[in-house]
Amino acid sequence: MDLSISSRSPEVVNVTRVGNRASRKAARNTSLIAKSIRCDKTSPCSSCRIASLPCGVASATTTGEGCSDVASADSPEKTNFSAIHENLAEIKKQLAKLEQRQQSHQLPFEVCVVNTERTTELVPNTPYQNEPSFNSQSAQASLSAELSAGEANSTSINQEIQSSLASLKLLLQRQNKPSPVNDIYFPCSSTRLLTESIDLPPVSVVIAALKKATVKVPPVILHNGFRDHLMLENLCKKVYFPVSPPSKGEVILVNGLLFYLLDAYSKEGDPALSSSDCAMYAKLCEKNFCNGIQDYEFLVTPTLENIQCLMMGGDARPSLCWTLVSGGARLCQSLGYHREAEVARGPPEQADAKRHIFWMLYMIDKVMSLYLGRASSFPDYDIDVEIFPPNQDSRFWAWDKVLIGFIELCRLQGQMYEELYSVRARRELPETRLRMIEERVSSLFAWHVSLKKIATEHSQDKRDLDLIISWSDFFYYYILTLLYGAKTSSDAATHISSQRYKAARLGLLCHMQNCAELSSSKTPGMRVYSGWILLFSSFSHFIVVFTHSIASHSQDDVELLSQVLRTLEEGRSISAATNRLYELCKVFLRFATAFIQSTQTFLGSYNKEDDSFTFPIMGTDSTSQYYNAIQFSSGNTCETMYDDLLPMSAFLGACLGENQAMSGLWNIDFPHPEPI
């Protein structure tokens, strides 16, 4: 037997397994002999020389080279090894990319990473549906069938009745469970991640902030009227020390609350809390909150936390605020928060939270409805949920009373839109519209008197609460200006009565007084005043007084407008909206200053006796004749006014008219106004 076969390496032996049984057996036996001989790794080794055997070390190189082509072509082991090597290389590449991505997103400060869990049940177990719905009618029909089946005789037909009735009950019970029919995602949409990691402030910073919040209720809880003053603390426990993964709504809500809390604490200079750390982590929470509420899930998933996030997300940008509040209104209706019977089913604390979030959204929606001239998302005829009762604690009772008072004011604003500015209202007779205006003026006056009577003694942050009550004067004259601006006839020319002018002038004086109080105090209320009072009025006061100044050539009006502009300049850095308001008012003041210095007459008619003026309907013969008659001398300081007069007058006719009286200045852009 040729023992040279036994000297093959193990790889070669594996390749030659296709030989006959005898040769394979000889190979195995010989390989055992070769393995039993010690090798000193010389070539040839001393053991092989003594045993007179061919040395495997010496022949391994030659044999391996001869079979290399066969092994590379036919060996499945080598093929598998190559595939494994390629997979490992790909895994290493992906890990390197992931590590690089994590390093690029790594924050330069300490954070706490929290894993959130998306809501698995995308619709409530018992979605609210009113009487006309198919489900409600099916439940009523099932009850009628069950009562009728109780009177049936014990026959085979009765058994069939009972069997079908049981099937009907089972079918109705399934309707109360989440169903693909009610899914809020398209079936063909991409797969969504069930978990998500979010960076939060470290536990040490949050605990220090919560300790301070237990001593004094923070403004974010107080000003938003949250019923549960331990709301933030309980949410932090769920998020930072979870028994089960928190929902994304809970995590984003915590970020929203912490943003306002840490932002307020960053301005106080408390030695227990670093101002720089508070400001840094406030920005982190603000970013998380804004990114979160822009998620599609927040606009369509009906949960209490999601609705609370949408309520807090409304800021001074009207379009964004309207979108978020409208989304919150739909979710409230899906959960039945507008019906007392549905809200009262839960525990008292939870029912109180539902009432609060509903009426907060209701209040913002009614303000935006009148401001933008759009129908409300909260129709009063379909609401019977009660307003939450005031807190019995003397520190918070007045805060809740003021909040309830503003809810009543917003209800009045909703009635104004429906009765005076809607399409249906414009079809009413002039006598009917005039009577409605008088009724609403009387209601507004009664509301203003009642709000001023609220006692604020023993209230927490009494200074802030008194400021908010004083700000109601500005809102009172703003709404009064809109009431007097509602025309009694849709075909009438735009008329500005002396009552409307006086209300507008008083509104500007109230604004100046509010700014003076905010400048003298150390409270950070200017941002609150600008965001929730000034920017949520159309600032039509300024437009009315401006128009009166050019109609009567009143230097007093121009001086008042100039003083108002100085107050706006002080707050222009607060936001882009306040800066735009300042720039727009500066353009109007520039025009009024130049116009009253000229000898030009006013477009329309001015009644000096009752201090009223009227715009003709745009496009009539009187306006055309007026423009044709305008002539400016070359030496006039207003020599370029003719180019601006037509668009300015057209703007005033639209802005002061009925259809656009509410939208105000916020959605208007002027290209780079020149300095005065």
Side-chain angles (χ1 to χ4, degrees), residues 348-384:
E349 297 81 7
Q350 191 175 18
D352 223 17
K354 293 177 180 179
R355 292 189 184 96
H356 163 263
I357 191 59
F358 175 84
W359 286 111
M360 288 295 293
L361 285 174
Y362 175 94
M363 180 173 61
I364 301 174
D365 172 83
K366 294 299 182 181
V367 172
M368 296 304 301
S369 172
L370 189 63
Y371 167 77
L372 296 173
R374 300 172 183 171
S376 170
S377 301
F378 290 86
D380 288 309
Y381 60 79
D382 197 40
I383 296 173
D384 67 353

Side-chain angles (χ1 to χ4, degrees), residues 302-605:
T303 65
L304 176 61
E305 292 80 13
N306 286 0
I307 300 174
Q308 289 172 330
C309 289
L310 293 176
M311 183 271 293
M312 294 177 60
D315 64 358
R317 285 167 288 187
S319 297
L320 176 61
C321 183
W322 177 261
T323 301
L324 297 180
V325 172
S326 299
R330 293 194 303 271
L331 299 185
C332 283
Q333 291 182 347
S334 300
L335 295 172
Y337 287 1
H338 60 305
R339 293 299 180 90
E340 179 61 29
E342 189 72 18
V343 171
R345 290 182 180 179
E349 297 81 7
Q350 191 175 18
D352 223 17
K354 293 177 180 179
R355 292 189 184 96
H356 163 263
I357 191 59
F358 175 84
W359 286 111
M360 288 295 293
L361 285 174
Y362 175 94
M363 180 173 61
I364 301 174
D365 172 83
K366 294 299 182 181
V367 172
M368 296 304 301
S369 172
L370 189 63
Y371 167 77
L372 296 173
R374 300 172 183 171
S376 170
S377 301
F378 290 86
D380 288 309
Y381 60 79
D382 197 40
I383 296 173
D384 67 353
V385 63
E386 298 177 357
I387 298 179
F388 50 86
N391 195 317
Q392 296 304 311
D393 192 326
S394 59
R395 295 174 298 169
F396 314 116
W397 178 87
W399 281 96
D400 286 351
K401 288 292 293 183
V402 170
L403 182 59
I404 294 173
F406 275 100
I407 291 174
E408 295 296 339
L409 174 64
C410 295
R411 194 199 300 270
L412 175 60
Q413 293 184 68
Q415 295 171 352
M416 285 175 54
Y417 179 83
E418 295 176 5
E419 298 172 355
L420 299 174
Y421 289 103
S422 65
V423 174
R424 182 182 63 182
R426 289 199 296 268
R427 297 171 182 168
E428 297 289 345
L429 296 174
E431 297 80 8
T432 304
R433 291 170 60 84
L434 182 60
R435 176 177 52 83
M436 289 180 177
I437 292 175
E438 293 175 351
E439 291 177 356
R440 293 297 157 238
V441 169
S442 177
S443 300
L444 180 63
F445 178 78
W447 168 84
H448 193 219
V449 172
S450 63
L451 187 73
K452 290 289 188 177
K453 291 182 178 179
I454 296 178
T456 60
E457 291 82 2
H458 311 295
S459 297
Q460 177 181 312
D461 297 334
K462 182 179 180 299
R463 168 70 176 173
D464 293 353
L465 185 57
D466 290 337
L467 281 175
I468 293 176
I469 294 177
S470 67
W471 295 345
S472 66
D473 297 341
F474 177 81
F475 244 105
Y476 169 75
Y477 290 114
Y478 153 63
I479 298 175
L480 198 62
T481 303
L482 294 183
L483 280 172
Y484 287 136
K487 295 186 297 184
T488 57
S489 173
S490 58
D491 297 330
T494 302
H495 177 72
I496 299 181
S497 64
S498 59
Q499 292 175 312
R500 187 180 185 186
Y501 166 67
K502 291 178 181 177
R505 187 177 179 85
L506 289 172
L508 291 182
L509 292 174
C510 289
H511 163 72
M512 293 174 56
Q513 182 179 358
N514 294 339
C515 292
E517 292 178 351
L518 289 171
S519 299
S520 61
S521 64
K522 296 182 179 180
T523 57
M526 191 62 189
R527 182 178 296 273
V528 177
Y529 174 75
S530 299
W532 290 102
I533 303 297
L534 185 60
L535 298 185
F536 277 95
S537 71
S538 64
F539 215 58
S540 57
H541 323 68
F542 196 95
I543 297 295
V544 172
V545 174
F546 161 78
T547 312
H548 182 272
S549 69
I550 61 177
S552 61
H553 284 67
S554 173
Q555 185 63 42
D556 292 340
D557 288 342
V558 173
E559 180 61 28
L560 176 60
L561 296 177
S562 178
Q563 294 176 6
V564 171
L565 186 65
R566 284 195 289 269
T567 64
L568 297 178
E569 186 176 12
E570 294 176 0
R572 63 181 300 189
S573 61
I574 293 178
S575 65
T578 56
N579 181 65
R580 181 170 58 173
L581 176 62
Y582 166 76
E583 296 290 352
L584 294 176
C585 291
K586 185 168 68 171
V587 172
F588 284 115
L589 178 59
R590 179 187 174 211
F591 186 93
T593 302
F595 191 89
I596 65 173
Q597 292 175 359
S598 69
T599 59
Q600 203 56 49
T601 58
F602 174 67
L603 172 61
S605 60

Side-chain angles (χ1 to χ4, degrees), residues 2 10 34 47 84 112 195 211 234 238 241 272 276-277 302 311 326 339 379 382 402 419 459 519 527 620 632 645:
D2 187 3
S47 299
I84 293 173
C112 176
T195 60
K211 286 182 178 179
N234 294 330
K238 289 183 180 180
F241 309 101
S276 59
D277 287 349
M311 183 271 293
S326 299
R339 293 299 180 90
D382 197 40
V402 170
E419 298 172 355
S459 297
S519 299
R527 182 178 296 273
T620 60
F632 291 99
L645 187 58

Side-chain angles (χ1 to χ4, degrees), residues 255-267:
N255 276 275
L257 294 172
L258 285 177
F259 159 61
Y260 287 105
L261 182 68
L262 296 176
D263 183 65
Y265 287 168
S266 66
K267 300 177 176 63

